[in-house]
C-alpha cells in the first residue's frame, strides 16, 4: 500500500520562535514519533518548509501578518532540530499551500499506476498550523488525488489557537478529509 506522510512546516519560528505556541511545542514528541513510525512502516515522508524572502513585509501575506518569519537562511526557517535528520530535502513553499507538493503527489500516483500498482492510497498530514498550512495542503492533496484517502492526525497538529485548530478540523471533515486522534488534542 502506497502511503505518504507530509510533515507541514515544523520549523523553529512556528515552534519556539516568533510565531511559536505552547501547543506547537507540545506536539513535538508526537510528531517525531509519528515520523519514525512512518519510516519504519515504509511510508514516504515529505517535509514542507514555509519560505519567505527578505521582502516579506511587502508581500500580500506580509501585509496581513506583519511578522517576519521563516526568512530563507534564518534560524527560524530551519526545520526543528528534533526532525532535521529526517528532513534532508524539504519542499520550500512561499505560501500556505504548495502546488509543487500537489504535483509531486500526483506524479507519484501516476508512476505507481504505470507500474501496475494501485497508486497512492493514503496521504497523512501532521504539523503546523492546522488552520493555515495544514488545511491548505490537505485540501490541495484532495484536489490532486481525489480518490486517495486524505488524513489529518490531529494529535500531531497545532493551530494558531486551540479554537482555530478545532475549527480547521471541522472544515476538513466537511471536505471528506479523515481526522484521526481528534480527542487527544483537547
Amino acid at each position: 500500500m502506497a502511503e505518504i506522510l507530509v510533515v507541514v512546516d515544523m520549523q523553529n519560528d512556528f515552534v519556539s520562535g516568533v510565531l511559536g505556541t505552547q501547543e506547537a511545542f507540545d506536539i513535538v514528541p508526537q510528531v517525531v514519533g509519528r515520523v519514525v513510525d512512518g519510516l519504519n512502516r515504509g511510508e514516504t515522508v515529505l517535509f514542507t518548509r514555509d519560505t519567505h524572502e527578505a521582502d516579506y513585509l511587502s508581500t500580500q501575506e506580509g501585509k496581513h501578518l506583519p511578522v517576519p518569519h521563516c526568512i530563507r537562511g534564518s534560524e527560524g526557517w530551519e526545520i526543528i532540530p528534533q526532525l532535521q535528520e529526517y528532513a534532508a530535502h524539504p519542499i520550500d513553499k512561499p505560501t500556505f499551500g504548495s502546488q509543487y507538493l500537489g504535483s509531486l503527489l500526483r506524479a507519484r500516483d501516476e508512476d505507481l499506476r504505470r507500474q501496475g500498482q494501485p497508486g497512492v492510497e493514503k496521504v497523512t498530514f501532521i504539523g503546523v498550523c492546522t488552520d493555515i498550512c495544514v488545511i491548505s495542503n490537505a485540501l490541495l492533496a484532495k484536489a490532486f488525488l481525489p480518490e486517495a484517502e486524505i488524513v489529518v492526525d490531529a494529535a500531531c497538529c497545532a493551530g494558531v489557537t486551540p479554537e482555530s485548530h478545532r475549527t480547521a478540523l471541522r472544515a476538513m471533515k466537511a471536505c471528506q478529509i479523515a481526522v484521526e486522534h481528534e480527542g487527544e488534542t483537547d
Side-chain angles (χ1 to χ4, degrees):
M1 180 172 178
E3 293 188 24
I4 297 174
L5 175 65
V6 180
V7 183
V8 179
D9 300 355
M10 288 299 294
Q11 294 164 260
N12 291 323
D13 271 349
F14 292 125
V15 174
S16 59
V18 67
L19 293 176
T21 65
Q22 186 64 50
E23 292 80 14
F25 182 81
D26 289 346
I27 67 165
V28 170
Q30 293 93 302
V31 171
V32 173
R34 180 61 181 85
V35 168
V36 170
D37 180 59
L39 289 169
N40 288 337
R41 291 188 301 113
E43 281 181 309
T44 299
V45 179
L46 304 172
F47 283 77
T48 67
R49 181 168 55 188
D50 196 43
T51 301
H52 301 294
E53 306 302 331
D55 69 345
Y56 170 77
L57 290 175
S58 68
T59 68
Q60 187 70 19
E61 180 182 330
K63 291 174 184 171
H64 292 278
L65 177 63
V67 179
H69 64 281
C70 299
I71 306 299
R72 185 185 303 275
S74 70
E75 183 180 336
W77 174 69
E78 297 294 334
I79 300 294
I80 61 171
Q82 300 91 324
L83 291 170
Q84 283 183 359
E85 69 181 284
Y86 309 110
H89 303 287
I91 298 167
D92 291 340
K93 57 182 192 56
T95 189
F96 306 143
S98 172
Q99 293 177 26
Y100 178 75
L101 174 63
S103 297
L104 189 66
L105 293 172
R106 185 178 341 190
R108 177 74 174 132
D109 184 67
E110 291 169 353
D111 286 345
L112 290 166
R113 291 179 190 285
R114 274 194 293 278
Q115 298 169 25
Q117 297 179 36
V120 174
E121 295 173 275
K122 183 177 182 181
V123 182
T124 301
F125 288 86
I126 62 176
V128 295
C129 295
T130 317
D131 45 327
I132 302 173
C133 293
V134 173
I135 191 172
S136 295
N137 285 288
L139 288 169
L140 273 168
K142 188 72 174 165
F144 276 87
L145 297 175
E147 294 304 315
E149 180 183 12
I150 308 300
V151 176
V152 171
D153 185 338
C156 293
C157 290
V160 173
T161 67
E163 179 57 31
S164 63
H165 167 79
R166 289 187 293 271
T167 299
L169 295 175
R170 285 192 301 274
M172 287 186 276
K173 283 182 190 177
C175 293
Q176 300 178 0
I177 293 169
V179 176
E180 296 178 341
H181 307 117
E182 185 173 0
E184 297 174 31
T185 60
D186 294 333

